[in-house]
Amino acid sequence: MSNPARDKEYRMESNTDNTTLLAMLESMLRIRAYEEKAAALQAQGQAPGTCTAVGQEAVAVGVVQALAADDLILTNHRSAGHLLARGADTGRMLAEVMGKSTGYCKGKSGSLHISAKELGVVLTSTIVGAELSLATGVGLALAMERSAAIAVCFFGDGAACEGAFHESLNLAALWRLPILYVCENNQWQAFVHRREAMAAESVGDWAAAHPMPCASVDGNDAEAVYAAAAAAAAQVRSSRQPYFLEARTYRLRGHYEPDDQHYVDAKELAGWRGRDPIAALQARLLAQGVLSAESLERLHQRVAADIDNGLAFALASPYPAAEELATDVYA
Amino acid sequence: MQQLTVNDAVSQALAEEMRRDAKVLMFGEGVATKRHDLLAEFGPERIRNTPLAEGIIAGTAVGAAAMGLRPVVDLLFAPFLCYAMDAIVNSAGKLRYLSGGQFAFPLVVMTQTGAGWGVGAQHNHNLEAWFVHSPGLKVVMPSNPADFKGLLKAAIRDDNPVLFFSDLSLGYQAGEVPDGDCLVPLGSAATRRVGGDVTLIGYGKTVAACLQASDRLAERGIAAEVIDLRSLKPLDEAAILASVRKTGRLVVAHEAGRLCGVGAEVAALAAEHAFAALKAPVIRLAGPDAPTPGNIVLEQAGAPSADAVAAAALKLFESIA
Ligand SMILES: Cc1ncc(C[n+]2csc(CCOP(=O)(O)OP(=O)(O)O)c2C)c(N)n1
């Protein structure tokens, strides 16, 4: 379906500087390693189940790379990539996942609702669609403060099927709120394929009904995501109006650990595995000579050491005292 | 002291708080149309009409509150809270806790409830107990103009989400309201009449029923103590228990359904902490487990009347005879 309001399509661009690309690669590697560690901890019974976003790292890293330090992020249950790309500490993240008091939320969030005010990750909600409903309030506050910052709301194609999606976009357009909506269309809504749940081919078809710029991007191409997000963020920043960006990607692991993915079409999965965003960026940087085999090895080692140190910190951290059960309920 | 209607007391509270604190803003369906005085004074940025979409109204309030604004939203009639439930209960009530205390949600949700309009169950449903049952929220339901003003001002200044239920039949009721910046703290009940023989507890409109009942009881030589809860969460447990310990008899009345209602909590409190003082079983008067009919006669039949409260109290004296 062609859509005049959504014909802006970002393709691979090679005008991102090498330092940025290398930083993005490292961030993607860290997110992948972190999520694989979280899944492994679950399998060993050392942590509860968790929602990973393996395969979607390019969206998190590409978008966050395009933000200014004071921009704010709202996210959902699949948030680890957004937080880590924003600079979250792996130790405090793992501590939170394991319920330790040194976690970002004192061990009260678990893996699903980690927010970190100090990193500008202002709200994380695991009620599908709630992130969209809260985003207008964050955007309203930025607008009323005459802030230069913008709010970015990450959500899935499943959330777009909730009424809150249209309510949020309508109000943001009406009240001219500085919100960058980033739909991570990973083709899955828990155990239901997007095609089974959406009559439209893309979420952009719906967003285009609202008066705001819309664009879509290959979410497995980190550089293209970065370019698209940078253009989008710049437009939100200058226009103080919302913008909708859809990143087409794929959830390579299951919905929630553990998940044997028996319901997934093997051919579809294999096709997307072949388009792994980390492998793609790595191959490109190696081919261009930006990255050598040795420096890639060093990157991997640095990331592995970071995860190991983080895990050691989390393991050594205490659980909250039982009295914490009823603290932080009221201000 | 000034004489004000409940509606005017609410308007005064809103204006005073908006004047006092630039972070206070109000939005909802028709808010800017109906509260034109506020619109004229504070402008369209702080007094906003919204689309007809309670989910996003509430969600916007929650997101704005997390950012430090102090939104007051008007969701019109309590049944419409169902659309707003997610943002209020799952976000405002829980995200402070889940974030380890990183965020506060200083917002007020105003809504009307109670029999008196005859428009049926989809516009009238006494839902206060739902919110009392939800952690992280506070709930108030005043009975007179002074409390409407003082509680609303306190609710706006509170750093937690507060549900502000207005019994719609009280809107034009007039009463004395103290001049000046007069706050009623959340969590404090008011003793409306002092007596030593029986405790009558109500909130919202049933406070008047309890007061009328106490007049009737006085004619029979029974001195009733009347307590107006006004704040359902936090609940003034000390005031309830002190009165029950003094009188040994308790009638609690509200319009909302009896099952798991606020009256059940009050009765359980008395049983748990003042059992030795009780001279008779606690009586709860409440609405039926039925949707509110769109019929004035039936609608009124569901609300505990002064006669019903007085009769219940008398029964407590029969049981010892
Ligand atoms: C209101 C609500 N309904 C259902 C769920 C259960 N649930 C958790 S994640 C999820 C899938 C969400 O899909 P999408 O928005 O596309 O995000 P993705 O998980 O694909 O990243 C579901 C159904 C929920 N958390 N909240």
Side-chain angles (χ1 to χ4, degrees):
Chain A
M1 197 193 291
S2 93
N3 192 323
R6 196 177 49 82
D7 58 5
K8 197 183 281 180
E9 173 75 43
Y10 285 86
R11 307 217 176 275
M12 211 180 273
E13 290 175 23
S14 52
N15 51 9
T16 307
D17 66 90
N18 293 336
T19 318
T20 304
L21 288 175
L22 286 171
M24 283 167 62
L25 178 63
E26 178 165 351
S27 184
M28 287 166 74
L29 287 169
R30 178 173 290 104
I31 294 167
R32 177 73 56 95
Y34 169 89
E35 297 208 305
E36 284 176 346
K37 179 59 76 182
L41 289 170
Q42 187 282 323
Q44 297 158 10
Q46 287 186 277
T50 185
C51 288
T52 68
V54 171
Q56 302 174 216
E57 296 86 352
V59 185
V61 167
V63 172
V64 172
Q65 184 68 41
L67 303 182
D70 59 349
D71 290 339
L72 302 174
I73 291 172
L74 294 105
T75 174
N76 61 8
H77 52 283
R78 239 175 268 290
S79 62
H82 309 137
L83 282 141
L84 290 167
R86 190 65 176 199
D89 176 73
T90 43
R92 289 187 70 192
M93 290 286 288
L94 286 169
E96 188 58 50
V97 170
M98 298 175 94
K100 301 299 186 77
S101 61
T102 53
Y104 277 104
C105 307
K106 302 184 190 165
K108 287 177 167 172
S109 162
S111 73
L112 292 178
H113 334 72
I114 308 179
S115 51
K117 205 174 184 180
E118 68 204 73
L119 301 173
V121 180
V122 287
L123 290 169
T124 302
S125 173
T126 177
I127 296 285
V128 169
E131 65 281 37
L132 285 156
S133 107
L134 304 175
T136 43
V138 173
L140 175 63
L142 291 176
M144 290 184 65
E145 286 163 8
R146 311 282 183 264
S147 167
I150 70 170
V152 179
C153 179
F154 288 102
F155 61 102
D157 43 298
C161 294
E162 293 272 5
F165 170 75
H166 292 287
E167 295 185 26
S168 183
L169 267 63
N170 179 49
L171 194 66
L174 188 70
W175 283 2
R176 305 172 70 98
L177 304 177
I179 301 171
L180 171 55
Y181 290 100
V182 178
C183 179
E184 293 187 70
N185 186 345
N186 65 5
Q187 315 300 320
W188 287 99
Q189 308 183 356
F191 304 108
V192 178
H193 197 280
R194 185 261 300 161
R195 273 191 309 267
E196 265 189 87
M198 282 177 61
E201 205 22 62
S202 81
V203 177
D205 293 335
W206 289 339
H210 298 279
M212 67 179 71
C214 298
S216 77
V217 66
D218 174 358
N220 282 30
D221 179 340
E223 198 177 347
V225 173
Y226 174 48
Q235 186 152 345
V236 177
R237 210 176 299 286
S238 59
S239 69
R240 312 310 296 170
Q241 288 193 59
Y243 189 113
F244 173 86
L245 177 65
E246 179 168 9
R248 295 182 311 277
T249 182
Y250 199 82
R251 192 194 75 203
L252 290 176
R253 287 188 76 97
H255 165 52
Y256 185 79
E257 301 296 326
D259 176 352
D260 63 10
Q261 291 183 288
H262 66 273
Y263 51 91
V264 174
D265 173 0
K267 257 175 60 198
E268 182 180 81
L269 182 60
W272 281 93
R273 270 197 209 291
R275 303 190 43 218
D276 185 308
I278 298 181
L281 184 59
Q282 236 172 238
R284 187 143 102 242
L285 295 178
L286 285 168
Q288 291 169 349
V290 175
L291 188 66
S292 66
E294 301 86 78
S295 49
L296 178 60
E297 180 53 30
R298 276 199 302 277
L299 265 188
H300 277 274
Q301 279 168 5
R302 196 153 68 220
V303 164
D306 179 30
I307 303 291
D308 286 348
N309 293 338
L311 183 60
F313 169 81
L315 286 170
S317 294
Y319 286 106
E323 298 82 73
E324 290 292 315
L325 175 62
T327 59
D328 297 323
V329 181
Y330 294 94
Chain B
M1 258 198 255
Q2 45 179 349
Q3 268 302 109
L4 289 182
T5 64
V6 160
N7 288 339
D8 290 339
V10 165
S11 295
Q12 220 177 57
L14 290 168
E16 287 177 15
E17 290 308 300
M18 291 189 71
R19 231 168 266 148
R20 191 187 59 81
D21 183 351
K23 299 263 185 211
V24 180
L25 74 160
M26 187 176 191
F27 47 93
E29 298 158 22
V31 161
T33 313
K34 288 183 293 185
R35 299 193 180 278
H36 37 78
D37 289 355
L38 294 182
L39 178 63
E41 182 173 352
F42 301 103
E45 187 158 55
R46 291 176 67 195
I47 295 284
R48 294 170 178 249
N49 281 337
T50 61
L52 243 166
E54 294 76 13
I56 199 69
I57 296 170
T60 302
V62 179
M67 293 286 292
L69 294 178
R70 306 188 83 86
V72 179
V73 292
D74 186 350
L75 292 182
L76 307 183
F77 295 99
F80 310 163
L81 288 171
C82 292
Y83 265 128
M85 206 75 185
D86 174 54
I88 298 169
V89 173
N90 288 322
S91 296
K94 298 179 184 173
L95 287 181
R96 173 175 176 73
Y97 185 80
L98 287 175
S99 69
Q102 291 179 84
F103 300 97
F105 297 95
L107 64 99
V108 179
V109 175
M110 297 184 68
T111 186
Q112 296 191 82
T113 187
W117 207 30
V119 286
Q122 293 190 331
H123 281 75
N124 176 11
H125 190 171
N126 297 287
L127 291 176
E128 59 273 14
W130 286 10
F131 297 92
V132 170
H133 204 69
S134 299
L137 308 177
K138 295 186 177 182
V139 183
V140 298
M141 191 154 167
S143 70
N144 63 67
D147 281 357
F148 267 86
K149 181 172 175 187
L151 280 171
L152 183 52
K153 286 168 71 80
I156 291 171
R157 295 186 201 185
D158 198 280
D159 283 333
N160 297 284
V162 182
L163 277 291
F164 193 95
F165 285 92
S166 303
D167 190 305
L168 59 83
S169 72
L170 298 178
Y172 294 99
Q173 193 192 92
E176 287 195 333
V177 176
D179 299 313
D181 191 28
C182 212
L183 283 103
V184 173
L186 306 188
S188 72
T191 303
R192 300 288 175 214
R193 184 158 299 175
V194 177
D197 299 328
V198 59
T199 300
L200 310 179
I201 294 183
Y203 59 86
K205 185 164 59 217
T206 53
V207 173
C210 290
L211 283 170
Q212 282 170 32
S214 72
D215 289 340
R216 276 167 225 186
L217 293 168
E219 287 162 18
R220 296 182 169 232
I222 296 171
E225 181 143 295
V226 176
I227 293 186
D228 177 355
L229 293 179
R230 62 187 181 181
S231 171
L232 308 182
K233 187 182 190 175
L235 188 63
D236 191 343
E237 299 188 354
I240 295 167
L241 289 173
S243 182
V244 171
R245 288 192 182 114
K246 178 168 75 168
T247 65
R249 297 182 186 86
L250 173 60
V251 177
V252 50
H254 56 61
E255 237 179 279
R258 182 174 53 86
L259 210 58
C260 297
V262 171
E265 181 58 37
V266 171
L269 197 67
E272 229 175 334
H273 299 291
F275 186 75
L278 287 176
K279 298 173 188 151
V282 177
I283 294 183
R284 283 179 288 156
L285 297 173
D289 183 28
T292 309
N295 167 316
I296 295 274
V297 177
L298 289 177
E299 187 189 55
Q300 292 301 329
S305 64
D307 285 345
V309 176
L314 285 174
K315 229 168 109 188
L316 295 180
F317 289 88
E318 281 163 19
S319 69
I320 50 160

